[in-house]
Amino acid sequence: MTNQPIPENVAILELNGIRWINIEQPTKEALQYLKSAFNFHVLDYEDIVGTTHRSKIDKYSNYVFMILLFPLLVRKTNSIHSGEIDFFLGK
């Protein structure tokens, strides 16, 4: 990990040797934090902030990057929108 201060929208949870880093609505500061802490592929960082229309999985030698899309019901308008969760999975 980095000695850089943790941005407000970044939460880090650790339990039994597993670390979960949760980032909601990635900001420039959150992306810079990830870039300084991990050596992920530059295109993965672009995928985080870009609009995605398909789920995908990219396998690298030391991690897996996944984008998962799922339907979200907006009760106010009774319409369905796309929700997205991006995952970096590694040791």
Side-chain angles (χ1 to χ4, degrees), residues 2-3 6-7 18 20-21 31 36 41 57 61 63 82 87:
T2 178
N3 291 333
I6 300 170
I18 296 174
W20 178 271
I21 301 174
L31 288 177
S36 67
H41 194 282
I57 298 175
S61 61
Y63 72 96
S82 179
F87 292 93

Side-chain angles (χ1 to χ4, degrees), residues 10 18 27 31 38-39 42 45 48 52-53 71:
V10 176
I18 296 174
T27 59
L31 288 177
F38 302 98
N39 189 27
V42 65
Y45 292 114
I48 291 173
T52 305
H53 300 287

Side-chain angles (χ1 to χ4, degrees), residues 4-18:
Q4 180 180 351
I6 300 170
E8 279 186 27
N9 63 327
V10 176
I12 300 175
L13 306 165
E14 293 190 55
L15 181 64
N16 297 329
I18 296 174

